[in-house]
């Protein structure tokens, strides 16, 4: 038995039995979703007693494994052996993956099912831990797609979550880089556990792979602001404002992107009125041959950030938590941070350089397919006006028009209902509603202008510029789609 877990010292002979036990127990994302549905969006320190209590009532083997490796609970020996046989239990105990105490058995690591994989990592509240998959990892995993391209780079790979998803989906060359010296160790273990191959390096951002190019670069760099009196954590802190590390990475991207390559980066950034995010991204890479597509949604307030980051380091919510929470909040005020935005920045090597920002209520539903569709929409919307007038546009097949009426009949409004990845529900102005009404059947933009002018009883020359602007904006936002033969 050992007191701590060393991923480099794991007995490879245990990998097969361990993997089989996890699968046989149906320890998967569906089961974890049941656990996470208990008091969602609450601090772990508040909700974990309920989660653990519910798990203790479950007879399923998956509940035993979740108690051990996901929720830090103690499991009696007789209960443990309903999910793990004694030989495997003793083997995992020798490595430190399990620990026997006077009360029962506890996990010595964190282990999460993730997109048909198993990802092991440091426990959440260890000192400067290497992290496994979390909420932002799930968001960025949607950016990988079913065919990620042959060469994939995961910058800040942590325990290898995204790199392993790319490898599982067919990438032939997957490289993970992380500054934390233990990250490569965890990633190697997870690659072996999932029977996949990774190339791993320890170093700062893209420094270990300079001179090489990749078809897809993924990153969820640390983006938490660091007060001067808070100890830095590798996976968490991105600088005094929080986004310095992300912007430094953006500056290095042109050198590692293949000619048709694309980078997809997820991070939070303070709102600066004098320097919008798209401009700071452009200034960071300073490359006229890079196009950028930025999806943004409101981020957590400074108050919520202070609470969350302090609770992450001090889950007992005692005096140390209170002090850390105030330090984070005071630092936000000192930096002039009033609002933050959560951003997915997509950059690619292509001329001419351009930047498009799309605001969304959330980033839910945005995946690799939505990104590809948006790039095509940007190309169509960017056509010269004579060409755009000949383009056929219409409503998305998954769009709904919903009319809402006030109970007293005093007010009615028209809602365009789209999937979250396309923007969700959007209330239409009277002018937009009239335009949408003309597009129940696809039409060329020229015909749309004529029909709208007739409905408004105005000359086509008067309404034409406004309709053109509406079409350009709506194509990029996903409210309209162009015919398949459009650029």
């Amino acid at each position: 038995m050992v007191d701590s877990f060393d991923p480099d010292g794991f007995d490879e002979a245990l990998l097969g039995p361990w993997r089989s036990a996890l699968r046989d127990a149906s320890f998967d994302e569906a089961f974890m979703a049941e656990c996470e549905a208990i008091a969602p969006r609450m601090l772990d320190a508040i909700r974990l007693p309920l989660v653990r209590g519910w798990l203790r009532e479950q007879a399923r083997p998956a509940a035993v494994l979740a108690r051990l490796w996901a929720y830090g609970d103690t499991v009696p020996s007789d209960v443990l052996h309903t999910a793990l046989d004694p030989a495997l239990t003793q083997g995992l105990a020798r490595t430190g993956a399990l620990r026997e105490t006077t009360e029962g058995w506890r996990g010595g690591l964190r282990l999460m099912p993730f997109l048909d994989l198993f990802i092991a990592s440091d426990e959440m509240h260890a000192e400067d831990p290497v992290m496994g998959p979390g909420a932002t990892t799930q968001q960025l995993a949607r950016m990988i797609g079913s065919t990620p391209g042959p060469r994939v780079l995961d910058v800040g790979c942590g325990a290898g979550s995204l790199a392993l998803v790319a490898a599982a989906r067919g990438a032939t060359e997957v490289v993970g880089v992380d500054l934390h010296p233990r990250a490569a160790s965890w990633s190697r273990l997870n690659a072996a556990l999932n029977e996949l191959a990774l190339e791993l390096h320890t170093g700062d951002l893209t420094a270990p792979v300079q001179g090489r190019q990749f078809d897809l670069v993924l990153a969820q760099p640390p983006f938490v602001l660091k007060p001067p009196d808070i100890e830095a954590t590798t996976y968490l802190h991105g600088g005094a404002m929080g986004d310095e590390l992300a912007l430094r990475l953006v500056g290095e991207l042109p050198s590692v992107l293949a000619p048709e390559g694309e980078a997809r980066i997820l991070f939070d950034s303070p709102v600066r009125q004098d320097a919008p995010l798209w401009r700071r991204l452009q200034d960071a890479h300073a490359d006229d041959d890079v196009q950028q597509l930025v999806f943004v949604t409101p981020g957590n307030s400074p108050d919520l950030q202070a609470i969350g980051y302090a609770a992450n380091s001090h889950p007992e919510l005692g005096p140390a938590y209170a002090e850390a929470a105030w330090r984070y909040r005071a630092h936000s005020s000192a930096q002039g941070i009033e609002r933050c935005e959560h951003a997915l920045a997509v950059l690619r090597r292509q001329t001419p350089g351009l930047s498009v920002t799309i605001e969304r209520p959330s980033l839910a539903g945005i995946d690799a397919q939505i990104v590809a569709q948006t790039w095509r929409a940007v190309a169509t919307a960017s056509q010269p006006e004579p060409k755009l007038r000949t383009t056929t546009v219409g409503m998305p097949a998954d769009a709904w028009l919903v009319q809402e009426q006030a109970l007293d009949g005093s007010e009615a409004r028209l809602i365009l209902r789209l999937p979250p990845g396309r923007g969700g529900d959007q209330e239409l102005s009277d002018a937009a509603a009239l335009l949408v009404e003309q597009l129940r059947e696809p039409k060329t933009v020229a015909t749309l202008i004529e029909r709208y002018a007739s409905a408004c009883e105005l000359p086509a020359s008067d309404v034409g510029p406004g309709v053109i602007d509406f079409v350009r904006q709506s194509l990029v936002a996903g409210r309209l789609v162009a015919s398949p033969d459009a650029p």
Side-chain angles (χ1 to χ4, degrees), residues 132-360:
T136 56
T137 320
Q138 291 278 0
Q139 291 179 343
L140 199 52
R142 296 197 298 264
M143 298 298 109
I144 296 176
S146 57
T147 53
R151 299 169 297 177
V152 177
L153 172 65
D154 181 2
V155 181
C157 64
S161 306
L162 295 171
L164 289 167
V165 171
R169 294 182 181 176
T172 54
E173 179 183 338
V174 184
V175 180
V177 176
D178 199 290
L179 183 64
H180 199 305
R182 281 170 55 86
S185 299
W186 279 114
S187 294
R188 275 192 294 270
L189 172 61
N190 288 321
L193 178 61
N194 292 284
E195 301 179 285
L196 295 166
L198 299 180
E199 177 187 334
L200 298 160
H201 299 277
T202 299
D204 183 34
L205 298 179
T206 66
V209 293
Q210 282 299 316
R212 300 169 64 178
Q213 293 188 326
F214 297 88
D215 305 292
L216 176 63
V217 179
L218 301 164
Q220 45 178 348
F223 53 71
V224 175
L225 54 83
K226 195 195 88 61
D229 46 3
I230 292 286
E231 185 176 355
T233 301
T234 305
Y235 84 94
L236 194 66
H237 296 112
M241 294 291 285
D243 61 1
E244 290 92 335
L245 188 63
L247 292 173
R248 186 157 65 85
L249 171 60
V250 168
E252 298 181 10
L253 288 176
S255 64
V256 296
L257 280 176
E260 300 298 322
E262 189 166 287
R264 297 164 186 173
I265 306 171
L266 192 69
F267 63 103
D268 282 13
S269 180
V271 174
R272 300 169 175 85
Q273 298 299 334
D274 59 339
L277 181 57
W278 67 267
R279 185 176 299 281
R280 285 182 280 125
L281 291 168
Q282 281 189 335
D283 291 345
H285 62 70
D287 193 322
D288 293 335
D289 295 325
V290 169
Q291 296 183 344
Q292 58 187 44
L293 181 62
V294 189
F295 296 91
V296 296
T297 190
N300 288 328
S301 69
D303 289 339
L304 289 177
Q305 289 186 36
I307 291 169
Y309 302 150
N312 185 74
S313 301
H314 306 284
E316 71 285 351
L317 304 185
Y321 156 78
E323 178 65 21
W326 179 247
R327 288 179 179 179
Y328 274 112
R329 188 61 185 89
H331 180 71
S332 294
S333 297
Q335 297 293 320
I337 299 172
E338 298 179 357
R339 293 186 297 121
C340 289
E341 51 195 356
H342 187 47
L344 169 67
V346 183
L347 289 83
R348 66 181 186 179
R349 302 270 314 264
Q350 193 160 321
T351 302
L354 57 82
S355 181
V356 176
T357 297
I358 301 175
E359 296 183 357
R360 287 279 192 262

